[in-house]
Amino acid sequence: MIVAHGTWLPESSRFFLWAETTSADSQPAHDGDHPFQLARDRLEAELLRPLVSGSPPEDSMADSMPLIVPSVEGSPVASPELHWEDRPRATRLAPWVVHGLTLSPESALTWLVTLPAPEELDPHVLRVGADIRFWCAAARFTLELLARQRFLPGVVGARSFWEPLVEEDADRLDALRSAMPPACWLMLNADPDALLRGFVRTLVDHFVRRAASRLRMRPRFVETAGEELAGSLFARNGRFESDDAEALAEELESWQARAEEVADSPFRIAFRLDPPADRESWSLRFFLQAVDDESVLVPVGRIWKHGGASWRHLERYLARPQEMVLEGLGRAASLFPPLEDSLRHPRPESCSLDVDDAYRFLTEAAFLLRDSGFGVLLPSWWGKRGHGLGLSLRVQPSASSPRNVVSRLGLDSLVEFDWRVALGEDTLSREEFLELADLKRPLVRVRGQWVELTPQRVEDVLSALQSKPALPEMSLGDVVAMKLGRRGDGSLPVTELNASGFLDELLSRLSGRERLPDLETPRFFRGELRPYQKLGLSWLGFLSRWGLGVCLADDMGLGKTIQVLALLLHLKERSELDQPFLLICPTSVAGNWRKEAERFAPELTVLIHHGIARTEGETFRSEAEKHDLVVSTYSLVHRDLERLGAVAWGGIVLDEAQNIKNPQAKQTRAVRKLAAKKRIALTGTPVENRLQELWSIMEFLNPGYLGSEASFRRRYALPIERYRDAAATAELRRLVEPFVLRRVKTDPAVIRDLPEKNEMKVYCTLTPEQATLYQAVVQESLERIEAAENGIGRKGQVLAALTRLKQICNHPAHFLSDGSSLSSRSGKLTRLTEMLEEVLAEEDRALIFTQYAEMGKLIRRHLAEQLSIEVLFLHGGVPAAMREKMIATFQDGSAAPIFVLSLKAGGFGLNLTEARHVFHFDRWWNPAVEDQATDRAFRIGQTRSVSVYKFICAGTVEERVDAMAERKKELAETVVQPGEGFLTELSNESLRDLFDLRREAIGD
């Protein structure tokens, strides 16, 4: 076994790789008995190649390094990862010469960020030390800084360098330094903070220089000291000869200081690009945007009208506003030169752009301006999937596919498609497209909508028009993946897909547009299927009819077995069970399948193929064909593959399908070689540790649907597991959702035998102080909303107003954030206190949910003071260990009868059945979210009725929105959209009525 180690060498700016091993043929480091290094060829073969596919970096060099290592009795002590049974305790630190390889900063960064996760390695062959795992985390942090372009030039002496900007990430950097294992710095006797910062700084500097050299960004002519400095920033060594080095360093510091001063301002310059109403020029309008609330936008024209040395807006103070605007526009003009024309006007408010400059703003300047601290608002259609140039597909069954027997299809069957050019929401003929291409404009207006038409896209389409046949064939799996939203690998996305014939029915139901046809419980099924089991039967029946593989992933105990038995009975009653099904399961449950079949489906004939008495050869094939179901085990598949493969199976069912989660295992490969029309996997854990397990199951069910193992890892596993890529997660979920059905015991739609739940709305009044604040905010908000133009700005104003009004309804101290007293200032808090006194008198326990963590702190403080009890408060900042301790404290019933929870941190994943009362202090206005929070108490294990109280301030926006949400729910028979997004579409008059304060809202 080998343990890989790594050390950053600050003096040489290289990364040192070395290894320790228990191999008997390796050379010991010294006279001790612990082998401490490998020869270069073995280090490459046994350390580098297993960790990263391909050859070691070209710039790796054999090297040796004196490192300070824990030692005892003249020998170095093995690291904890080596797991020696008799590992001695070190008695001292001693220097040892260790042999290994060194990598350049660029190679080290690439090598560290592409290392497989430790769990992906065979621990009996190769392990990764804690030091390398730390440097991997530091390298990913560095790569993120590079990706976000968080670096600036600097000068020290006669050398320039690229300095990483870590101020915004100071907490993350401190956390990273705190997590540094002693092995990283102890071996070099270095300061941990200096070591980490030096690592990040060096990697950033080297990587930027290398990238710049490939882009040939070094100035061709050097005449001034500034140009010499700029040239050195792109040179490899960074040195430059200039008598003005000190002056340049001072100028850089002054420039950075100005940038920091702008960053500390409560406002920043923002740009909004508005397309023309006709074919005239585009307009780039200038605004001041609040840094802490991007919905607050003020046209700069108000600054020019205001005048004065200072300006105040919504409790935000800005000194020298006119200078700030002009200085900001000047900085922006250096990034986007077309802005310079507007600066010739004494009071610039906007800038006119032609179509080429508008496109340059959308594709280049917007990113530069955002990264430089400016606000950018783009048209809503820009960047939307399917809005630009693409293909429109019309799919039909292939002439070679069966017309009547759809059960023989499968995702590998071929279909035919015809295609046209799609531009935005329109489909264009070849002639129409060529007319637009002749305009040679990157943005064109087609039937009232603007779309992108780049020269590269035009070339791709013209090439496709000339090279693609009229009716090419593709697999049904490719069509399904496109329909479900897989992003294409090619340059042209599929923006529209229509199907004809029976393919339309399949695609409509797979994408959820149409309900699955209901199947009745088979006549010969002995027992009663619960509603969710009937749904499972219908789902299994529909997809198996098309020859599509499915994974039934219900929780253990929800009846996966009887759903499969019901399916087999359904097929038998329809005379479609003309070939036997093969069921493969763990040995321990083989007998259980026979017993369950005898109990629920005695009409099925079952053969157990297991044990030394099992039949062979032609006898087995003959016996199998006489039965409806043949049960075998995973342990036999590989040994009996030839025997099992000789039978024409109507279907294959894998019970406990996680047994094939390792795609390279012998039994997994053997299972995949078996042919069958229908394939079903049963497992309560389709993903136990890694997404590769899901790929392995899906590869058995629908071969090739998720691509090769390597492409799946690149496209989904790595982005999701390592970087929590939301887009990749959503795409993978869409692709597998039609083929994986999962129900859990905690779902009320599945298990309904729970006690009664009583929901009540508690109407509260505002105090005079709340009413005064409320009225002032309403007046101010309506003025801003009416002044705002339609679009993102107006929606932001509406949502900001809703937030402020909800905070006032909660408590004045919540809105003002001034830490003031709490008692007798909020109708809601007063009523909550009164109701909790009754709860405590009955010796009950209660949960209190709020969507605001700050309000949760205020509630906890007030209740602890007024009721003299311990109050727990769970929010997103609570560590996992403390979270579990809080839950245990509440559930044991001995103390802390009140539990305050923020909706995001406590609304899911908790079992708090000791509570009989649930208070929603402020409303999320999404019944699904509120129900999920309520289910912390109302769930399996709850034996008493649960009372749910939803607080509403009468006569305010809370009461009006609650009524709208109820009407919307009744009319659409669905829940309200998450959050308050539907309110942003209301007219100004409707909003005025919504916000208006009724007389009944104010208490005495």
Side-chain angles (χ1 to χ4, degrees), residues 779-972:
Q779 188 63 34
E780 180 183 358
S781 299
L782 287 174
E783 290 178 0
R784 291 206 305 269
I785 292 170
E786 290 171 356
E789 296 185 9
N790 290 331
I792 295 176
R794 183 181 183 278
K795 290 182 179 181
Q797 295 282 8
V798 175
L799 293 176
L802 288 168
T803 299
R804 290 192 288 266
L805 294 177
K806 289 168 72 174
Q807 290 174 338
I808 292 171
C809 289
N810 279 352
H811 199 289
H814 184 201
F815 171 69
L816 299 172
S817 299
D818 57 358
S820 55
S821 62
L822 302 176
S823 183
S824 304
R825 297 175 61 198
S826 164
K828 268 191 188 181
L829 194 58
T830 299
R831 183 60 184 138
L832 176 67
T833 307
E834 294 169 351
M835 296 182 71
L836 287 175
E837 288 175 346
E838 296 180 20
V839 170
L840 296 177
E842 297 174 2
E843 297 185 351
D844 280 340
R845 309 172 80 74
L847 307 179
I848 304 170
F849 286 98
T850 173
Q851 69 183 99
Y852 303 103
E854 184 60 34
M855 190 63 220
K857 296 177 184 177
L858 299 179
I859 293 173
R860 179 191 187 189
R861 188 182 97 193
H862 175 76
L863 295 180
E865 293 174 355
Q866 295 295 313
L867 303 178
S868 300
I869 57 171
E870 180 183 359
V871 179
L872 302 174
F873 176 39
L874 176 63
H875 54 86
V878 175
M882 180 60 70
R883 173 190 176 102
E884 296 303 318
K885 184 177 179 181
M886 285 183 179
I887 296 169
T889 299
F890 185 81
Q891 284 293 91
D892 67 19
S894 59
I898 306 298
F899 204 161
V900 181
L901 308 99
S902 72
L903 201 58
K904 288 186 177 180
F908 58 92
L910 302 181
N911 189 338
L912 300 171
T913 51
E914 281 298 308
R916 277 196 60 208
H917 302 269
V918 179
F919 294 85
H920 291 283
F921 189 79
D922 45 56
R923 308 291 304 283
W924 188 251
W925 293 331
N926 184 345
V929 174
E930 291 183 346
D931 290 345
Q932 191 178 46
T934 299
D935 287 345
R936 299 315 98 214
F938 186 68
R939 60 192 295 116
I940 292 177
Q942 179 60 266
T943 58
R944 303 170 296 171
S945 63
V946 176
S947 298
V948 184
Y949 310 97
K950 301 180 179 181
F951 279 32
I952 300 171
C953 282
T956 69
V957 64
E958 290 191 333
E959 183 178 13
R960 245 77 40 80
V961 175
D962 175 70
M964 292 174 63
E966 291 294 334
R967 288 197 301 270
K968 190 177 180 70
K969 180 180 179 181
E970 293 169 4
L971 292 173

Side-chain angles (χ1 to χ4, degrees), residues 467-500:
S467 63
K468 285 188 178 290
L471 285 174
E473 288 189 325
M474 62 192 306
S475 75
L476 178 59
D478 290 332
V479 175
V480 170
M482 288 183 203
K483 186 69 174 180
L484 297 176
R486 184 171 69 192
R487 293 166 293 180
D489 291 322
S491 56
L492 290 175
V494 176
T495 58
E496 183 185 24
L497 193 154
N498 296 307
S500 61

Side-chain angles (χ1 to χ4, degrees), residues 703-839:
Y705 176 63
L706 292 181
S708 67
E709 184 179 3
S711 67
F712 179 84
R713 173 180 168 79
R714 181 183 67 253
R715 188 165 192 164
Y716 301 111
L718 285 178
I720 295 172
E721 293 174 350
R722 290 196 181 182
Y723 308 112
R724 303 295 187 265
D725 188 315
T729 302
E731 180 177 319
L732 180 59
R733 185 186 299 116
R734 288 194 302 269
L735 291 177
V736 302
E737 194 171 34
F739 306 101
V740 180
L741 180 62
R742 176 157 175 77
R743 278 80 62 88
V744 295
K745 296 173 184 175
T746 54
D747 187 348
V750 176
I751 300 294
R752 297 185 179 275
D753 45 354
L754 284 172
E756 187 178 1
K757 177 174 68 172
N758 303 309
E759 295 190 355
M760 291 153 277
K761 294 177 181 178
V762 179
Y763 293 92
C764 308
T765 57
L766 302 181
T767 63
E769 179 187 7
Q770 286 177 293
T772 302
L773 290 171
Y774 189 101
Q775 195 63 53
V777 169
V778 167
Q779 188 63 34
E780 180 183 358
S781 299
L782 287 174
E783 290 178 0
R784 291 206 305 269
I785 292 170
E786 290 171 356
E789 296 185 9
N790 290 331
I792 295 176
R794 183 181 183 278
K795 290 182 179 181
Q797 295 282 8
V798 175
L799 293 176
L802 288 168
T803 299
R804 290 192 288 266
L805 294 177
K806 289 168 72 174
Q807 290 174 338
I808 292 171
C809 289
N810 279 352
H811 199 289
H814 184 201
F815 171 69
L816 299 172
S817 299
D818 57 358
S820 55
S821 62
L822 302 176
S823 183
S824 304
R825 297 175 61 198
S826 164
K828 268 191 188 181
L829 194 58
T830 299
R831 183 60 184 138
L832 176 67
T833 307
E834 294 169 351
M835 296 182 71
L836 287 175
E837 288 175 346
E838 296 180 20
V839 170

Side-chain angles (χ1 to χ4, degrees), residues 500-558:
S500 61
F502 54 77
L503 289 181
D504 183 44
E505 177 193 358
L506 174 64
L507 295 178
S508 296
R509 285 176 170 158
L510 286 180
S511 60
R513 288 208 323 260
E514 293 184 17
R515 273 190 64 185
L516 296 177
D518 294 328
L519 294 186
E520 294 297 326
T521 302
R523 286 183 296 118
F524 294 115
F525 183 82
R526 292 190 179 179
E528 183 178 351
L529 294 177
R530 289 194 172 197
Y532 74 89
Q533 293 170 333
K534 287 184 178 180
L535 174 63
L537 170 62
S538 300
W539 179 75
L540 289 169
F542 174 76
L543 290 183
S544 63
R545 171 187 166 223
W546 293 87
L548 305 181
V550 294
C551 176
L552 185 58
D554 288 345
D555 260 355
M556 183 175 63
L558 291 183

Side-chain angles (χ1 to χ4, degrees), residues 381-382 387-389 423-425 436 441-446 449-453:
W381 49 262
W382 178 254
H387 187 81
L389 189 64
L423 196 57
E425 298 177 357
L436 289 176
R441 291 184 178 179
L443 294 169
V444 296
R445 192 167 186 172
V446 181
Q449 59 177 332
W450 287 92
V451 290
E452 181 182 12
L453 190 63

